[in-house]
Amino acid sequence: MKLNKYLFSTFIAASALLISSCSDFLDRSPQGQFTEDDNPNALVNGKIYNVYTMMRSFDITAGTPAIAIHYLRSEDSEKGSIPSDGSDVAEMYDDFLYTPTNGLLGSYWGKNYAIIYQCNDILDAIAEKETAGQTETEDIINKGEASFFRAYCYFNLVRAFGEVPLVTYKINDASEANIPKTTADKIYEQIDTDLKTAEESLPETWSTEYTGRLTWGAARSLHARTYMMRSDWDNMYKASTDVINKGLYNLKTPYNEIFTDDGENSGGSIFELQCTATAALPQSDVIGSQFCEVQGVRGAGQWDLGWGWHMATQLMADAYETGDPRKNATLLYFRKTDDEPITPENTNEPYGESPISPAMGAYFNKKAYTDPALRKEYTNKGFWVNIRLIRYSDVVLMAAEAANEKNIPGEAVDYLEMVRARARGTNTNILPKITTNDQGELREAIRHERRVELGLEPDRFYDLVRWGIASEVLHAAGKVNYQDKNALLPLPQSEIDKSKGVLVQNPDY
């Protein structure tokens, strides 16, 4: 646990508590008249820190709404836990029996818009200072941060729902936010505008007391990701190679250390949410998150580490090439009973133990596994573990994919090899270099590499959708209910009802 992690988390926590009285309305959909007694200019810093707190909340990154929407819909993930725990979630997100009344939809929608409204508030306050000629350096940075987070949340929404309301102004009354849906193209135009602002406003690096705060690299990398979703190969190539050519990041951290406590804020981390914990109970998501609690081993005694949600399928395990060390760094093996012996096949826990669990998935997510020593110091639930949102290897693979689609095979091969070489380490007998210049073969190799390098991370389903192979892959995996319309979720029925007819449901729902 590094001191700088505590410092930035403390800044965020203090700011969140300071402005909680004036930001409570942001934690729900707008309703009634909003008032704010505090000086908006004086609170801009505190409000942007509060956005970091909101970002690691249960509904948007750490809990079941985010996990259901980002993870469970791919062939590599399933709900996990036990059948009676969240059976409605399994039916909707594993089996694609979508219903607009599903509660997780409203939670995810509401938290994304809560952050958007907070960012609008911040940007409005900064605009007032700009008009008055009172802009300071910190205002420029805050503008970049608010623009990034607004873009991040609109990207979440447009991928999940397609057309959504575009609100880019401060909300003083709920009626101001009750507007029709905007086309996806217009949403992406706003995302591009916001990320350009972020790229122009954010620094390349921060001093150690601000480790985890947004940077130019985070904005440019997110921009590459948004171009990737649109198959805009030229802009995706330019954004991803801009990040690579800056030389700010590296792939020196061994893969099996990336998601450990020692691997936090490593050279391959472009943006991760800073989390910490205290020895005093109960733990608080003001400074930590429930990311590991939700995905931790569902067991008893020493293996009661969490709820057991988001487990890997056997298909995920089978995707790895022979000897690929990323398999044991991603999948946490377990036994069903005491009678099952511990073997090399069911053990990859660093202390030679294998958890016992009644969970129904094939493997737990080892990227949410917690250090036993820190469990004793804090709690089994892992509130202190950072949430990795943008990794450098993802950006390198974006560059590889874009280069291949632009018919620059030599560059594509080189970028692909950067990722495979780090995974290979010193073992030259595994993960041979991909040398083909055939565009189709190289495309499949890059797609495979994204699957295993980013295994059990948030975007596999969206990769299947943008590649146009979701139906083929999911049907082959037994998720036969998937239809093309399921690429987009239905809008939450609760939001449609509140809009009194202004919001229109997505087609075929």
Side-chain angles (χ1 to χ4, degrees), residues 466-488:
R466 68 184 180 83
W467 289 331
I469 60 174
S471 291
E472 171 191 344
V473 170
L474 294 171
H475 288 180
K479 296 190 174 189
V480 295
N481 292 326
Y482 180 84
Q483 304 173 47
D484 289 343
K485 71 173 186 177
N486 297 136
L488 296 178

Side-chain angles (χ1 to χ4, degrees), residues 80-95:
S81 188
I82 57 177
S84 61
D85 181 23
S87 58
D88 59 323
V89 176
E91 184 177 74
M92 176 153 172
Y93 298 95
D94 271 339
D95 300 336

Side-chain angles (χ1 to χ4, degrees), residues 61 66-67 70-79 255 259 291 295 309-317 319-320 326-333 348 362-369 387-388 391 449-461 463:
T61 55
I67 285 171
H70 284 270
Y71 301 81
L72 302 188
R73 295 188 288 167
S74 86
E75 82 281 29
D76 292 337
S77 301
E78 57 187 311
K79 177 188 69 71
Y255 195 89
F259 290 89
F291 183 81
Q295 299 177 77
W309 282 56
H310 180 220
M311 297 182 69
T313 63
Q314 189 59 44
L315 287 171
M316 176 82 262
Y320 293 92
R326 291 174 293 193
K327 179 177 181 179
N328 279 354
T330 303
L331 307 180
L332 183 61
Y333 302 64
N348 69 344
Y363 306 85
F364 287 108
N365 181 9
K366 197 171 184 182
K367 292 177 178 178
Y369 180 68
I387 303 174
R388 283 72 165 172
R391 296 204 292 118
E449 203 66 23
R450 283 191 63 83
R451 184 183 186 187
V452 294
E453 171 69 23
L454 306 174
L456 299 187
E457 295 179 50
D459 292 333
R460 173 65 179 173
F461 173 76
D463 277 350

